[in-house]
PDB file of all heavy atoms in Angstrom:
ATOM      1  N   ALA A  62      85.615  56.921 144.066  1.00 98.00           N
ATOM      2  CA  ALA A  62      84.327  56.578 143.445  1.00 98.00           C
ATOM      3  C   ALA A  62      84.328  56.972 141.967  1.00 98.00           C
ATOM      4  O   ALA A  62      83.869  56.205 141.109  1.00 98.00           O
ATOM      5  CB  ALA A  62      83.189  57.268 144.191  1.00 98.00           C
ATOM      6  N   LEU A  63      84.865  58.139 141.665  1.00 98.00           N
ATOM      7  CA  LEU A  63      84.938  58.600 140.272  1.00 98.00           C
ATOM      8  C   LEU A  63      85.784  57.648 139.423  1.00 98.00           C
ATOM      9  O   LEU A  63      85.389  57.237 138.326  1.00 98.00           O
ATOM     10  CB  LEU A  63      85.540  60.013 140.232  1.00 98.00           C
ATOM     11  CG  LEU A  63      85.777  60.608 138.849  1.00 98.00           C
ATOM     12  CD1 LEU A  63      84.455  60.950 138.188  1.00 98.00           C
ATOM     13  CD2 LEU A  63      86.670  61.853 138.945  1.00 98.00           C
ATOM     14  N   ALA A  64      86.947  57.286 139.946  1.00 98.00           N
ATOM     15  CA  ALA A  64      87.833  56.374 139.214  1.00 98.00           C
ATOM     16  C   ALA A  64      87.161  55.022 139.025  1.00 98.00           C
ATOM     17  O   ALA A  64      87.269  54.407 137.953  1.00 98.00           O
ATOM     18  CB  ALA A  64      89.159  56.223 139.962  1.00 98.00           C
ATOM     19  N   GLY A  65      86.445  54.572 140.037  1.00 98.00           N
ATOM     20  CA  GLY A  65      85.721  53.310 139.927  1.00 98.00           C
ATOM     21  C   GLY A  65      84.640  53.382 138.869  1.00 98.00           C
ATOM     22  O   GLY A  65      84.435  52.426 138.112  1.00 98.00           O
ATOM     23  N   ARG A  66      83.974  54.503 138.786  1.00 98.00           N
ATOM     24  CA  ARG A  66      82.922  54.667 137.785  1.00 98.00           C
ATOM     25  C   ARG A  66      83.514  54.641 136.375  1.00 98.00           C
ATOM     26  O   ARG A  66      82.909  54.097 135.452  1.00 98.00           O
ATOM     27  CB  ARG A  66      82.154  55.966 138.029  1.00 98.00           C
ATOM     28  CG  ARG A  66      81.350  55.935 139.341  1.00 98.00           C
ATOM     29  CD  ARG A  66      80.328  57.056 139.420  1.00 98.00           C
ATOM     30  NE  ARG A  66      79.411  56.923 138.316  1.00 98.00           N
ATOM     31  CZ  ARG A  66      79.124  57.899 137.461  1.00 98.00           C
ATOM     32  NH1 ARG A  66      79.652  59.094 137.609  1.00 98.00           N
ATOM     33  NH2 ARG A  66      78.292  57.686 136.491  1.00 98.00           N
ATOM     34  N   MET A  67      84.701  55.234 136.180  1.00 98.00           N
ATOM     35  CA  MET A  67      85.363  55.176 134.865  1.00 98.00           C
ATOM     36  C   MET A  67      85.652  53.717 134.500  1.00 98.00           C
ATOM     37  O   MET A  67      85.408  53.279 133.374  1.00 98.00           O
ATOM     38  CB  MET A  67      86.666  55.983 134.882  1.00 98.00           C
ATOM     39  CG  MET A  67      86.444  57.472 135.063  1.00 98.00           C
ATOM     40  SD  MET A  67      87.974  58.405 135.335  1.00 98.00           S
ATOM     41  CE  MET A  67      88.763  58.322 133.733  1.00 98.00           C
ATOM     42  N   MET A  68      86.148  52.976 135.459  1.00 98.00           N
ATOM     43  CA  MET A  68      86.510  51.574 135.244  1.00 98.00           C
ATOM     44  C   MET A  68      85.290  50.727 134.901  1.00 98.00           C
ATOM     45  O   MET A  68      85.349  49.861 134.020  1.00 98.00           O
ATOM     46  CB  MET A  68      87.164  51.066 136.534  1.00 98.00           C
ATOM     47  CG  MET A  68      87.951  49.825 136.396  1.00 98.00           C
ATOM     48  SD  MET A  68      89.415  50.159 135.431  1.00 98.00           S
ATOM     49  CE  MET A  68      90.655  49.568 136.540  1.00 98.00           C
ATOM     50  N   VAL A  69      84.191  50.977 135.593  1.00 98.00           N
ATOM     51  CA  VAL A  69      82.976  50.173 135.402  1.00 98.00           C
ATOM     52  C   VAL A  69      82.257  50.543 134.101  1.00 98.00           C
ATOM     53  O   VAL A  69      81.594  49.711 133.484  1.00 98.00           O
ATOM     54  CB  VAL A  69      82.061  50.344 136.643  1.00 98.00           C
ATOM     55  CG1 VAL A  69      80.685  49.784 136.400  1.00 98.00           C
ATOM     56  CG2 VAL A  69      82.703  49.687 137.863  1.00 98.00           C
ATOM     57  N   LEU A  70      82.407  51.795 133.689  1.00 98.00           N
ATOM     58  CA  LEU A  70      81.740  52.256 132.470  1.00 98.00           C
ATOM     59  C   LEU A  70      82.351  51.622 131.214  1.00 98.00           C
ATOM     60  O   LEU A  70      81.640  51.382 130.230  1.00 98.00           O
ATOM     61  CB  LEU A  70      81.845  53.783 132.398  1.00 98.00           C
ATOM     62  CG  LEU A  70      81.003  54.521 131.366  1.00 98.00           C
ATOM     63  CD1 LEU A  70      79.522  54.165 131.465  1.00 98.00           C
ATOM     64  CD2 LEU A  70      81.224  56.033 131.521  1.00 98.00           C
ATOM     65  N   ALA A  71      83.649  51.350 131.246  1.00 98.00           N
ATOM     66  CA  ALA A  71      84.347  50.860 130.042  1.00 98.00           C
ATOM     67  C   ALA A  71      83.690  49.598 129.462  1.00 98.00           C
ATOM     68  O   ALA A  71      83.321  49.595 128.278  1.00 98.00           O
ATOM     69  CB  ALA A  71      85.825  50.636 130.340  1.00 98.00           C
ATOM     70  N   PRO A  72      83.507  48.524 130.221  1.00 98.00           N
ATOM     71  CA  PRO A  72      82.909  47.327 129.618  1.00 98.00           C
ATOM     72  C   PRO A  72      81.469  47.536 129.186  1.00 98.00           C
ATOM     73  O   PRO A  72      81.029  46.976 128.169  1.00 98.00           O
ATOM     74  CB  PRO A  72      83.020  46.267 130.720  1.00 98.00           C
ATOM     75  CG  PRO A  72      83.237  47.017 131.981  1.00 98.00           C
ATOM     76  CD  PRO A  72      83.936  48.281 131.606  1.00 98.00           C
ATOM     77  N   LYS A  73      80.746  48.360 129.930  1.00 98.00           N
ATOM     78  CA  LYS A  73      79.338  48.636 129.566  1.00 98.00           C
ATOM     79  C   LYS A  73      79.277  49.293 128.181  1.00 98.00           C
ATOM     80  O   LYS A  73      78.501  48.885 127.320  1.00 98.00           O
ATOM     81  CB  LYS A  73      78.727  49.546 130.645  1.00 98.00           C
ATOM     82  CG  LYS A  73      77.300  49.944 130.432  1.00 98.00           C
ATOM     83  CD  LYS A  73      76.772  50.669 131.677  1.00 98.00           C
ATOM     84  CE  LYS A  73      75.315  51.036 131.561  1.00 98.00           C
ATOM     85  NZ  LYS A  73      75.089  52.144 130.612  1.00 98.00           N
ATOM     86  N   LEU A  74      80.116  50.307 127.965  1.00 98.00           N
ATOM     87  CA  LEU A  74      80.097  51.002 126.678  1.00 98.00           C
ATOM     88  C   LEU A  74      80.618  50.113 125.552  1.00 98.00           C
ATOM     89  O   LEU A  74      80.099  50.149 124.439  1.00 98.00           O
ATOM     90  CB  LEU A  74      80.916  52.294 126.761  1.00 98.00           C
ATOM     91  CG  LEU A  74      80.343  53.364 127.683  1.00 98.00           C
ATOM     92  CD1 LEU A  74      81.246  54.588 127.693  1.00 98.00           C
ATOM     93  CD2 LEU A  74      78.930  53.753 127.274  1.00 98.00           C
ATOM     94  N   MET A  75      81.625  49.299 125.843  1.00 98.00           N
ATOM     95  CA  MET A  75      82.127  48.390 124.806  1.00 98.00           C
ATOM     96  C   MET A  75      81.024  47.410 124.391  1.00 98.00           C
ATOM     97  O   MET A  75      80.844  47.147 123.197  1.00 98.00           O
ATOM     98  CB  MET A  75      83.366  47.636 125.315  1.00 98.00           C
ATOM     99  CG  MET A  75      84.620  48.485 125.354  1.00 98.00           C
ATOM    100  SD  MET A  75      85.292  48.881 123.700  1.00 98.00           S
ATOM    101  CE  MET A  75      85.228  50.644 123.751  1.00 98.00           C
ATOM    102  N   ARG A  76      80.275  46.902 125.354  1.00 98.00           N
ATOM    103  CA  ARG A  76      79.137  46.029 125.006  1.00 98.00           C
ATOM    104  C   ARG A  76      78.154  46.778 124.120  1.00 98.00           C
ATOM    105  O   ARG A  76      77.704  46.256 123.101  1.00 98.00           O
ATOM    106  CB  ARG A  76      78.413  45.549 126.279  1.00 98.00           C
ATOM    107  CG  ARG A  76      79.013  44.298 126.907  1.00 98.00           C
ATOM    108  CD  ARG A  76      78.068  43.693 127.942  1.00 98.00           C
ATOM    109  NE  ARG A  76      77.786  44.584 129.064  1.00 98.00           N
ATOM    110  CZ  ARG A  76      78.553  44.723 130.145  1.00 98.00           C
ATOM    111  NH1 ARG A  76      79.681  44.021 130.248  1.00 98.00           N
ATOM    112  NH2 ARG A  76      78.220  45.539 131.127  1.00 98.00           N
ATOM    113  N   GLU A  77      77.841  48.012 124.513  1.00 98.00           N
ATOM    114  CA  GLU A  77      76.874  48.805 123.738  1.00 98.00           C
ATOM    115  C   GLU A  77      77.374  49.090 122.322  1.00 98.00           C
ATOM    116  O   GLU A  77      76.575  49.220 121.393  1.00 98.00           O
ATOM    117  CB  GLU A  77      76.570  50.116 124.457  1.00 98.00           C
ATOM    118  CG  GLU A  77      75.703  49.925 125.696  1.00 98.00           C
ATOM    119  CD  GLU A  77      75.471  51.225 126.456  1.00 98.00           C
ATOM    120  OE1 GLU A  77      75.805  52.309 125.936  1.00 98.00           O
ATOM    121  OE2 GLU A  77      74.964  51.139 127.586  1.00 98.00           O
ATOM    122  N   MET A  78      78.703  49.197 122.171  1.00 97.00           N
ATOM    123  CA  MET A  78      79.281  49.471 120.848  1.00 97.00           C
ATOM    124  C   MET A  78      79.451  48.195 120.029  1.00 97.00           C
ATOM    125  O   MET A  78      79.987  48.237 118.924  1.00 97.00           O
ATOM    126  CB  MET A  78      80.658  50.143 120.990  1.00 97.00           C
ATOM    127  CG  MET A  78      80.707  51.425 121.803  1.00 97.00           C
ATOM    128  SD  MET A  78      79.925  52.853 121.045  1.00 97.00           S
ATOM    129  CE  MET A  78      80.855  53.032 119.558  1.00 97.00           C
ATOM    130  N   GLY A  79      79.058  47.050 120.584  1.00 98.00           N
ATOM    131  CA  GLY A  79      79.141  45.791 119.854  1.00 98.00           C
ATOM    132  C   GLY A  79      80.512  45.148 119.883  1.00 98.00           C
ATOM    133  O   GLY A  79      80.798  44.266 119.076  1.00 98.00           O
ATOM    134  N   VAL A  80      81.367  45.593 120.790  1.00 98.00           N
ATOM    135  CA  VAL A  80      82.710  45.014 120.917  1.00 98.00           C
ATOM    136  C   VAL A  80      82.600  43.740 121.757  1.00 98.00           C
ATOM    137  O   VAL A  80      82.246  43.800 122.935  1.00 98.00           O
ATOM    138  CB  VAL A  80      83.678  46.022 121.568  1.00 98.00           C
ATOM    139  CG1 VAL A  80      85.012  45.362 121.907  1.00 98.00           C
ATOM    140  CG2 VAL A  80      83.894  47.212 120.642  1.00 98.00           C
ATOM    141  N   THR A  81      82.893  42.604 121.137  1.00 96.00           N
ATOM    142  CA  THR A  81      82.708  41.317 121.821  1.00 96.00           C
ATOM    143  C   THR A  81      84.012  40.551 122.015  1.00 96.00           C
ATOM    144  O   THR A  81      84.045  39.572 122.756  1.00 96.00           O
ATOM    145  CB  THR A  81      81.740  40.423 121.026  1.00 96.00           C
ATOM    146  OG1 THR A  81      82.249  40.275 119.693  1.00 96.00           O
ATOM    147  CG2 THR A  81      80.340  41.027 120.962  1.00 96.00           C
ATOM    148  N   GLY A  82      85.083  40.982 121.345  1.00 98.00           N
ATOM    149  CA  GLY A  82      86.320  40.198 121.359  1.00 98.00           C
ATOM    150  C   GLY A  82      87.361  40.698 122.337  1.00 98.00           C
ATOM    151  O   GLY A  82      88.522  40.307 122.264  1.00 98.00           O
ATOM    152  N   GLY A  83      86.955  41.564 123.263  1.00 98.00           N
ATOM    153  CA  GLY A  83      87.907  42.118 124.228  1.00 98.00           C
ATOM    154  C   GLY A  83      88.305  43.533 123.864  1.00 98.00           C
ATOM    155  O   GLY A  83      88.010  44.023 122.764  1.00 98.00           O
TER     156      GLY A  83
END
Side-chain angles (χ1 to χ4, degrees):
L63 176 71
R66 293 194 60 233
M67 294 171 70
M68 197 69 126
V69 168
L70 192 54
K73 179 172 183 288
L74 294 179
M75 285 289 121
R76 274 194 298 276
E77 287 177 11
M78 304 290 300
V80 171
T81 56

